Amino acid sequence: MSKPLDGVRVLELGSLIAGPFCTRILAEFGARVIKVESPDGGDPLRKWRKLYQGTSLWWFIQSRNKESLTLNLKHPEGKAILQRLLAETDILVENFRPGVLEKLGFGWDAIHAVNPALVMVRLSGFGQTGPMQDQPGFGAVGESMGGLRYITGFADRPPVRTGISIGDSIAALWAAIGALMALRHREVQGGQGQVVDVALYEAVFAMMESMLPEFDVFGFVRERTGNIMPGITPSNTHTARDGRHITIGANGDAIFKRLMQAIGRPDLADDPGLADNAGRDARRDEIYGVIDTWVAEHDGAQVLAVLEAAEVPASSVYSIADMVTDPQFLAREMIRSATLPDGREFKMPGIVPKLSATPGGTDWLGPELGEHTDKVLGELGYTPEAVAALRRAGAV
């Protein structure tokens, strides 16, 4: 079955999370992604978090459907190979610190001269311009500067992080969107490539909803509020009698009425002062106290059964152990099986989004370092003897 990005050639000059996650998305939907790695160990992600026989399990997912080509970009022959690849590339994704590619001779002007149709996606902490452009910046810094960390946690405690590198992942999504928009422009309107400049802090800041206009118009600074969101009531996490945490979102007017009726509080369901969100938010402590008490009197399964019957949006707070057996995850094929190099089966996430006619998929797992070097160089016209000579010279 065809995929929507079949025929699109992508070159990845990146490591760790933001750039490689962007190209992972493209690869899952059919783009041919050639990942350029240093011969000296490759992408550090290969050794991050839990290792299986010396390789990160994260690596097998993050680099699925990609080809690994080793190039020494400080070696003249390595640069020459990169130059040839760029001439045949549709999208280049890089997440070096600004200026690094320019020092290597591969800034935008040089690349555009070689291949005017190429789209160059650049991910960095602070973007390619501005007073902070040369500073290093990881996702954690982007989350902090972009506003996410400030509002995450409880009011009486310091800010906290989410449990994943969310800033990098958000930036990767913007990068993939930008790449496809630039590709669309090239193919339909312009014929020329362009630069897609994604700054991690801006990627996070773009998700901050109404934070900026609220400050500008009212001088309001959104603060940490734990599991509730002031202005949207009720939406909170509650603890059941058996210790199970249940998130309930009943901030719609009709949904709130159904919730109150379901938990035995018709008086609140019919209270005209609680008929809209503004009225409920003014009395949120009262409402949350009622819901907290009801949830605490029942086991989690009972709570969810009552809420499901009443058509009130709710879920227990899932751990990964909950997800792997959940009927919804399984029905949507979000828990997939694959085989590690030694033959062991393991579970990996499915593909997002779901396309009805040209769905994405996993063709192979993250490759060994340099696994496709001979193949890629052979396609460029290098003989096996020439490739062996490049290896001896330290170019690949």
Side-chain angles (χ1 to χ4, degrees):
M1 186 176 294
S2 64
K3 296 181 182 179
L5 297 181
D6 283 349
V8 175
R9 294 173 62 94
V10 178
L11 195 64
E12 179 195 312
L13 297 176
S15 62
L16 299 177
I17 305 173
F21 185 29
C22 169
T23 56
R24 165 187 159 180
I25 297 167
L26 303 179
E28 288 171 345
F29 286 91
R32 181 185 182 186
V33 176
I34 299 175
K35 179 179 177 65
V36 175
E37 299 186 80
S38 167
D40 185 20
D43 191 333
L45 191 74
R46 290 176 175 275
K47 301 296 181 183
W48 273 29
R49 298 193 66 82
K50 298 292 185 180
L51 305 185
Y52 181 78
Q53 296 186 351
T55 300
S56 168
L57 289 170
W58 189 0
W59 166 261
F60 289 120
I61 300 168
Q62 186 83 312
S63 295
R64 57 187 177 186
N65 295 359
K66 300 181 188 180
E67 299 174 28
S68 174
L69 165 70
T70 54
L71 284 184
N72 179 356
L73 296 182
K74 296 180 181 179
H75 193 286
E77 288 288 349
K79 291 182 179 181
I81 293 168
L82 180 60
Q83 184 96 341
R84 294 179 62 177
L85 287 170
L86 289 170
E88 302 177 0
T89 294
D90 294 299
I91 301 171
L92 168 66
V93 178
E94 66 95 4
N95 64 341
F96 292 121
R97 192 190 302 189
V100 170
L101 274 186
E102 282 74 8
K103 291 178 181 177
L104 292 170
F106 294 102
W108 168 245
D109 290 341
I111 290 175
H112 191 61
V114 170
N115 183 353
L118 181 143
V119 172
M120 186 180 192
V121 180
R122 314 196 74 171
L123 296 106
S124 62
F126 307 103
Q128 303 298 313
T129 59
M132 298 181 69
Q133 70 180 79
D134 295 327
Q135 294 189 27
F138 286 129
V141 176
E143 294 164 28
S144 298
M145 189 171 172
L148 180 61
R149 295 278 181 112
Y150 187 85
I151 60 171
T152 304
F154 290 84
D156 59 344
R157 296 170 229 173
V160 299
R161 61 163 293 162
T162 58
I164 59 171
S165 303
I166 190 69
D168 289 291
S169 299
I170 291 172
L173 293 173
W174 285 121
I177 292 168
L180 296 178
M181 287 192 291
L183 204 63
R184 165 72 177 178
H185 168 77
R186 187 194 79 178
E187 295 178 350
V188 176
Q189 299 179 32
Q192 293 281 308
Q194 61 183 297
V195 175
V196 178
D197 182 0
V198 180
L200 268 65
Y201 83 96
E202 292 171 354
V204 173
F205 179 63
M207 310 298 290
M208 291 298 102
E209 300 176 348
S210 58
M211 182 184 292
L212 177 58
E214 288 172 353
F215 172 73
D216 184 53
V217 175
F218 300 114
F220 175 75
V221 177
R222 192 179 297 187
E223 301 285 349
R224 294 181 292 284
T225 55
N227 289 320
I228 72 168
M229 184 171 289
I232 302 176
T233 302
S235 180
N236 201 353
T237 300
H238 313 267
T239 303
R241 180 170 58 192
D242 57 0
R244 198 169 177 181
H245 302 298
I246 310 290
T247 296
I248 302 174
N251 44 289
D253 297 345
I255 298 173
F256 174 75
K257 291 192 70 168
R258 295 200 300 270
L259 171 62
M260 290 299 104
Q261 291 165 348
I263 68 175
R265 292 301 303 265
D267 57 316
L268 297 180
D270 297 330
D271 188 332
L274 302 178
D276 62 19
N277 186 66
R280 292 191 297 272
D281 195 54
R283 293 166 59 183
R284 65 173 177 262
D285 291 345
E286 173 191 353
I287 293 170
Y288 285 136
V290 169
I291 301 173
D292 275 337
T293 298
W294 178 77
V295 173
E297 292 172 346
H298 304 81
D299 289 340
Q302 295 173 290
V303 171
L304 291 171
V306 169
L307 298 180
E308 181 179 352
E311 298 184 354
V312 174
S315 173
S316 60
V317 178
Y318 278 26
S319 72
I320 190 62
D322 299 314
M323 297 175 200
V324 295
T325 58
D326 182 80
Q328 181 66 22
F329 276 81
L330 297 175
R332 296 276 295 174
E333 297 187 327
M334 284 310 300
I335 310 295
R336 304 300 300 269
S337 292
T339 304
L340 291 165
D342 68 347
R344 174 182 172 141
E345 285 200 3
F346 81 120
K347 297 187 189 314
M348 64 177 183
I351 305 296
V352 178
K354 313 294 187 193
L355 273 63
S356 61
T358 55
T362 300
D363 298 316
W364 65 85
L365 300 180
E368 295 182 7
L369 180 62
E371 181 176 335
H372 301 92
T373 298
D374 288 24
K375 172 189 173 184
V376 173
L377 295 183
E379 292 172 348
L380 292 176
Y382 289 87
T383 65
E385 294 77 17
V387 175
L390 288 170
R391 282 200 173 91
R392 289 194 297 271
V396 299

